[in-house]
């Protein structure tokens, strides 16, 4: 029970951080563009993780937990690969231009929080399974 509450609190903190990043981006651009749309998607995904965790806690069915664990493992692997690619290309682009693109690094931060929330979901669901 303590692990679930701790996980939900951590996920809400991640959601809050992503929400602040989105608010700053909306203040800067005053419209939805590709940066802000990506930030909205990451924020939605973290909120989905919170809702899914509450669902899995209420309906403690092993079959559903296994489906959730497999889903989050697949998502974590795919997002991890994309995260590494974005890190490498972001660093390469910043080195080439000799300037730091803050927008891309804010998106990277939100994506990293999204990846960490998926990993938290894997560990929390596996503890629910036992």
């Amino acid at each position: 029970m303590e692990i679930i509450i701790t996980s939900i609190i951590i996920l809400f903190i991640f959601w809050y951080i992503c929400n602040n990043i989105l608010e700053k981006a909306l203040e800067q651009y005053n419209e939805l563009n590709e940066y802000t749309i990506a930030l909205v998607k990451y924020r939605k995904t973290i909120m989905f993780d919170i809702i899914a965790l509450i669902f899995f806690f209420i309906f403690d069915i092993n079959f559903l937990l296994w489906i959730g664990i497999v889903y989050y493992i697949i998502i974590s692997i795919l997002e991890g690969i994309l995260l590494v690619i974005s890190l490498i290309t972001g660093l390469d682009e910043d080195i080439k231009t000799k300037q730091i693109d803050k927008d891309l690094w804010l998106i990277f931060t939100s994506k990293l929080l999204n990846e960490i929330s998926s990993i938290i979901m894997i560990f929390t669901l596996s503890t629910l399974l036992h």
Side-chain angles (χ1 to χ4, degrees), residues 1-9 53 120 123-124 127-128:
M1 181 71 167
E2 297 163 352
I3 294 173
I4 296 166
I5 293 171
T6 305
S7 298
I8 290 173
I9 290 170
L53 185 58
I120 288 172
F123 289 120
T124 307
T127 58
L128 275 176

Side-chain angles (χ1 to χ4, degrees), residues 14-116:
F14 288 172
W15 179 83
Y16 182 74
I17 293 169
C18 286
N19 198 33
N20 283 341
I21 292 171
L22 175 64
E23 286 178 8
K24 289 179 184 178
L26 285 174
E27 285 175 6
Q28 179 180 358
Y29 292 112
N30 293 324
E31 64 181 4
L32 284 176
N33 57 16
E34 56 192 41
Y35 294 122
T36 55
I37 290 172
L39 293 171
V40 168
K41 288 180 184 178
Y42 298 139
R43 186 185 71 161
K44 282 183 183 179
T45 305
I46 293 174
M47 185 53 75
F48 173 78
D49 292 345
I50 294 169
I51 294 169
L53 185 58
I54 293 169
F55 173 80
F56 285 125
F57 177 69
I58 292 172
F59 301 104
D60 190 15
I61 302 171
N62 283 342
F63 178 70
L64 291 177
L65 289 172
W66 279 109
I67 290 174
I69 290 171
V70 169
Y71 169 78
Y72 280 106
I73 287 173
I74 291 170
I75 292 298
S76 293
I77 291 170
L78 294 175
E79 285 182 354
I81 292 169
L82 292 175
L83 191 66
V84 169
I85 290 170
S86 66
L87 175 66
I88 292 170
T89 56
L91 287 174
D92 184 48
E93 188 68 29
D94 286 349
I95 290 171
K96 285 180 183 176
T97 60
K98 296 182 181 177
Q99 291 181 342
I100 296 176
D101 189 1
K102 293 178 184 177
D103 295 331
L104 292 177
W105 288 110
L106 288 176
I107 291 175
F108 179 80
T109 303
S110 292
K111 181 134 184 77
L112 179 65
L113 292 174
N114 192 12
E115 176 69 18
I116 294 171

